[in-house]
mmCIF file of all heavy atoms in Angstrom:
data_model
loop_
_atom_site.group_PDB
_atom_site.id
_atom_site.type_symbol
_atom_site.label_atom_id
_atom_site.label_comp_id
_atom_site.label_asym_id
_atom_site.label_seq_id
_atom_site.Cartn_x
_atom_site.Cartn_y
_atom_site.Cartn_z
ATOM 1 N N MET V 245 -53.325 -61.363 141.603
ATOM 2 C CA MET V 245 -54.547 -60.516 141.170
ATOM 3 C C MET V 245 -53.924 -59.456 140.140
ATOM 4 O O MET V 245 -53.811 -58.316 140.427
ATOM 5 C CB MET V 245 -55.059 -59.735 142.442
ATOM 6 C CG MET V 245 -55.875 -60.645 143.383
ATOM 7 S SD MET V 245 -56.714 -59.683 144.561
ATOM 8 C CE MET V 245 -57.634 -61.035 145.349
ATOM 9 N N ILE V 246 -53.541 -59.960 139.044
ATOM 10 C CA ILE V 246 -52.832 -59.204 138.084
ATOM 11 C C ILE V 246 -53.711 -57.985 137.539
ATOM 12 O O ILE V 246 -53.216 -57.034 136.976
ATOM 13 C CB ILE V 246 -52.376 -60.044 136.786
ATOM 14 C CG1 ILE V 246 -51.189 -59.428 135.982
ATOM 15 C CG2 ILE V 246 -53.586 -60.538 135.980
ATOM 16 C CD1 ILE V 246 -50.584 -60.194 135.101
ATOM 17 N N SER V 247 -55.134 -58.135 137.590
ATOM 18 C CA SER V 247 -55.891 -57.042 137.276
ATOM 19 C C SER V 247 -55.750 -55.814 137.980
ATOM 20 O O SER V 247 -56.124 -54.620 137.529
ATOM 21 C CB SER V 247 -57.415 -57.447 137.234
ATOM 22 O OG SER V 247 -57.804 -57.498 138.657
ATOM 23 N N VAL V 248 -55.160 -55.806 139.203
ATOM 24 C CA VAL V 248 -55.055 -54.656 140.095
ATOM 25 C C VAL V 248 -53.535 -54.259 140.249
ATOM 26 O O VAL V 248 -53.356 -53.279 141.082
ATOM 27 C CB VAL V 248 -55.740 -54.909 141.408
ATOM 28 C CG1 VAL V 248 -57.207 -55.192 141.144
ATOM 29 C CG2 VAL V 248 -55.097 -55.961 142.243
ATOM 30 N N TYR V 249 -52.532 -54.970 139.771
ATOM 31 C CA TYR V 249 -51.187 -54.677 140.053
ATOM 32 C C TYR V 249 -50.753 -53.251 139.779
ATOM 33 O O TYR V 249 -49.810 -52.642 140.351
ATOM 34 C CB TYR V 249 -50.200 -55.671 139.397
ATOM 35 C CG TYR V 249 -50.352 -56.976 140.014
ATOM 36 C CD1 TYR V 249 -49.552 -58.129 139.439
ATOM 37 C CD2 TYR V 249 -50.976 -57.269 141.287
ATOM 38 C CE1 TYR V 249 -49.732 -59.383 139.985
ATOM 39 C CE2 TYR V 249 -50.990 -58.577 141.801
ATOM 40 C CZ TYR V 249 -50.271 -59.571 141.087
ATOM 41 O OH TYR V 249 -50.305 -60.880 141.680
ATOM 42 N N ASN V 250 -51.329 -52.601 138.762
ATOM 43 C CA ASN V 250 -50.911 -51.234 138.326
ATOM 44 C C ASN V 250 -51.846 -50.218 138.685
ATOM 45 O O ASN V 250 -51.724 -49.069 138.310
ATOM 46 C CB ASN V 250 -50.659 -51.258 136.831
ATOM 47 C CG ASN V 250 -49.502 -52.104 136.446
ATOM 48 O OD1 ASN V 250 -48.378 -52.069 136.829
ATOM 49 N ND2 ASN V 250 -49.799 -53.045 135.485
ATOM 50 N N ASN V 251 -52.827 -50.477 139.441
ATOM 51 C CA ASN V 251 -53.848 -49.552 139.985
ATOM 52 C C ASN V 251 -53.155 -48.518 140.909
ATOM 53 O O ASN V 251 -52.123 -48.898 141.618
ATOM 54 C CB ASN V 251 -54.890 -50.231 140.833
ATOM 55 C CG ASN V 251 -55.870 -50.923 139.960
ATOM 56 O OD1 ASN V 251 -55.657 -50.965 138.864
ATOM 57 N ND2 ASN V 251 -57.004 -51.387 140.531
ATOM 58 N N THR V 252 -53.483 -47.211 140.872
ATOM 59 C CA THR V 252 -52.862 -46.203 141.659
ATOM 60 C C THR V 252 -53.723 -45.961 142.833
ATOM 61 O O THR V 252 -53.438 -45.318 143.853
ATOM 62 C CB THR V 252 -52.723 -44.857 140.810
ATOM 63 O OG1 THR V 252 -54.060 -44.486 140.366
ATOM 64 C CG2 THR V 252 -51.655 -45.070 139.806
ATOM 65 N N GLU V 253 -54.997 -46.519 142.813
ATOM 66 C CA GLU V 253 -55.915 -46.419 144.075
ATOM 67 C C GLU V 253 -56.262 -47.920 144.434
ATOM 68 O O GLU V 253 -56.344 -48.808 143.566
ATOM 69 C CB GLU V 253 -57.057 -45.679 143.695
ATOM 70 C CG GLU V 253 -56.970 -44.200 143.402
ATOM 71 C CD GLU V 253 -56.326 -43.354 144.566
ATOM 72 O OE1 GLU V 253 -56.640 -43.836 145.687
ATOM 73 O OE2 GLU V 253 -55.636 -42.348 144.362
ATOM 74 N N PRO V 254 -56.652 -48.148 145.799
ATOM 75 C CA PRO V 254 -56.967 -49.537 146.231
ATOM 76 C C PRO V 254 -58.258 -49.948 145.334
ATOM 77 O O PRO V 254 -59.235 -49.156 145.220
ATOM 78 C CB PRO V 254 -57.291 -49.307 147.622
ATOM 79 C CG PRO V 254 -56.535 -48.134 148.096
ATOM 80 C CD PRO V 254 -56.449 -47.241 146.891
ATOM 81 N N ALA V 255 -58.162 -51.161 144.867
ATOM 82 C CA ALA V 255 -59.318 -51.615 144.222
ATOM 83 C C ALA V 255 -60.412 -52.074 145.152
ATOM 84 O O ALA V 255 -60.202 -52.648 146.133
ATOM 85 C CB ALA V 255 -58.881 -52.845 143.379
ATOM 86 N N PRO V 256 -61.655 -51.918 144.807
ATOM 87 C CA PRO V 256 -62.741 -52.324 145.682
ATOM 88 C C PRO V 256 -62.822 -53.838 145.704
ATOM 89 O O PRO V 256 -62.445 -54.614 144.798
ATOM 90 C CB PRO V 256 -64.065 -51.789 144.998
ATOM 91 C CG PRO V 256 -63.641 -51.596 143.546
ATOM 92 C CD PRO V 256 -62.141 -51.215 143.563
#
Side-chain angles (χ1 to χ4, degrees):
M245 292 191 173
I246 198 168
S247 68
V248 304
Y249 285 170
N250 294 307
N251 288 6
T252 56
E253 297 292 334

